[in-house]
Amino acid sequence: MAKIIDGKKIAKELNEKTSDEVKKLLVKDNIVPGLVVIIVGDDEASYRYVRNKHRTAQKLGINSIVDSQPATISENELIDLINKYNNDDQINGILVQDPLPSGIDEKKITKAIDPKKDVDGFHPLNVGKLFLDDSTNYPVACTPKGIITMLDYYNIDIKGKNAVVIGRSAIVGKPMGALLLNRGASTTIIHRYTKDIYEYTRNADIVVSATGQVHLLGQDAFKKGAVIIDVGQNRDENGHLVGDVDFEDASNQASYITPVPGGVGPMTIATLMQQTVELTKWSKENGE
């Protein structure tokens, strides 16, 4: 049976380190990291997620602001709001929660965020640095960054391995592929138009799945000893949270595997908090 990658445990330890860093900034420099999450409209799932972020930030000593805006806000008004926080020295991280109402261009909103406060790592400048494997400090998409933290925690070697990422989103798939490539893996990104995904997954040492399809992958999708990272957050016919991978079945093939829930999920928020503090420290180092 595979060894379970315990995302809850790693996230807890990461949050403890983040809390310690927040205390050091306060004692040494009288600085409190500031995070603002802008949420537009009344999507209940988004509000639940934002509340979890807010509670975690407060618990760690981060100054957390949730700025709720009506769905009727215009694109220009939203950009003006972002610029207000761009120019606020007390705010180190800015996040605009998806989804946004129709009529608002998400790409324009992402570009409006100051790259130095882009806590989600989605600004084109930061994405470019990631794909160039730039040597400077910059934020990276939180879920992929959290996955790398998990692999490192269990001393899972990436260099020289065959890695397959299922899904090509800007949130997970593309940055995940870049991070693995930067760490020396031979990386392939496959997606809905790939004709035979098993042709790729069965030869992979590391598989990261982010498709949003319930139990798409069983043990016959993987080679013996594969490391399986399941990013899926899906609801089955009984309303239970499950992943892309049939956990019980695939565990027979894997050397390491993440459960759903309790795997990647907790790492995303923990990494968001970590990155908020990192942005604060980088800003201080640059005298900004």
Side-chain angles (χ1 to χ4, degrees):
M1 285 290 288
K3 184 167 185 177
I4 295 173
I5 297 176
D6 190 343
K8 284 185 179 179
K9 176 185 176 183
I10 306 169
K12 182 175 182 293
E13 293 183 16
L14 181 57
N15 281 334
E16 289 170 355
K17 291 178 183 177
T18 298
S19 179
D20 288 342
E21 291 297 317
V22 171
K23 291 172 184 172
K24 289 177 185 176
L25 281 168
L26 181 60
V27 171
K28 185 179 178 182
D29 301 293
N30 197 32
I31 294 174
V32 177
L35 171 67
V36 61
V37 178
I38 301 170
I39 182 167
V40 180
D42 55 4
D43 182 80
E44 184 53 39
S46 293
Y47 266 96
R48 283 198 302 271
Y49 189 43
V50 168
R51 282 195 293 269
N52 286 337
K53 293 174 182 175
H54 181 60
R55 282 196 295 265
T56 302
Q58 288 185 315
K59 190 182 300 182
L60 300 181
I62 294 170
N63 175 31
S64 174
I65 298 170
V66 176
D67 192 329
S68 302
Q69 295 293 323
T72 53
I73 191 172
S74 70
E75 185 174 273
N76 286 336
E77 288 171 333
L78 183 53
I79 290 173
D80 287 342
L81 180 61
I82 291 168
N83 283 330
K84 183 187 85 168
Y85 290 116
N86 282 340
N87 294 313
D88 187 340
D89 292 339
Q90 304 303 310
I91 297 299
N92 306 101
I94 301 170
L95 185 156
V96 180
Q97 183 66 41
D98 284 339
L100 291 172
S102 59
I104 295 181
D105 186 336
E106 290 192 11
K107 291 183 178 179
K108 283 181 70 174
I109 297 306
T110 300
K111 290 177 183 177
I113 298 172
D114 184 338
K116 296 187 292 295
K117 297 189 177 187
D118 171 34
V119 73
D120 253 343
F122 295 155
H123 191 282
L125 182 63
N126 293 321
V127 173
K129 287 181 175 181
L130 171 62
F131 276 83
L132 289 172
D133 197 15
D134 192 271
S135 60
T136 61
N137 293 321
Y138 54 90
V140 175
C142 293
T143 298
K145 183 173 180 177
I147 290 170
I148 293 294
T149 301
M150 297 169 84
L151 294 174
D152 287 345
Y153 187 92
Y154 285 90
N155 296 312
I156 296 169
D157 194 17
I158 300 173
K159 189 175 182 179
K161 298 299 173 63
N162 290 326
V164 168
V165 179
I166 312 175
R168 56 176 183 165
S169 74
I171 297 172
V172 179
K174 290 176 181 176
M176 188 75 249
L179 283 170
L180 290 166
L181 188 63
N182 292 347
R183 294 288 290 267
S186 297
T187 306
T188 304
I189 297 177
I190 61 177
H191 44 76
R192 70 176 63 185
Y193 301 115
T194 302
K195 291 182 179 179
D196 183 3
I197 67 171
Y198 283 16
E199 179 183 341
Y200 298 90
T201 60
R202 284 175 179 153
N203 291 304
D205 302 303
I206 301 170
V207 178
V208 180
S209 181
T211 69
Q213 297 185 48
V214 175
H215 289 173
L216 173 69
L217 305 165
Q219 74 172 35
D220 57 345
F222 307 101
K223 75 175 188 179
K224 194 71 175 175
V227 176
I228 303 172
I229 307 295
D230 191 350
V231 187
Q233 297 279 304
N234 317 303
R235 296 285 174 181
D236 65 12
E237 63 275 8
N238 298 313
H240 297 140
L241 187 65
V242 296
D244 298 345
V245 177
D246 186 333
F247 179 82
E248 296 299 331
D249 194 34
S251 293
N252 295 314
Q253 285 289 86
S255 58
Y256 290 87
I257 190 169
T258 59
V260 178
V264 174
M267 290 301 297
T268 299
I269 293 180
T271 303
L272 176 69
M273 301 303 137
Q274 174 195 32
Q275 198 146 252
T276 299
V277 175
E278 287 175 344
L279 289 173
T280 306
K281 292 166 70 176
W282 298 338
S283 176
K284 181 179 74 71
E285 289 166 6
N286 293 327
E288 296 171 347

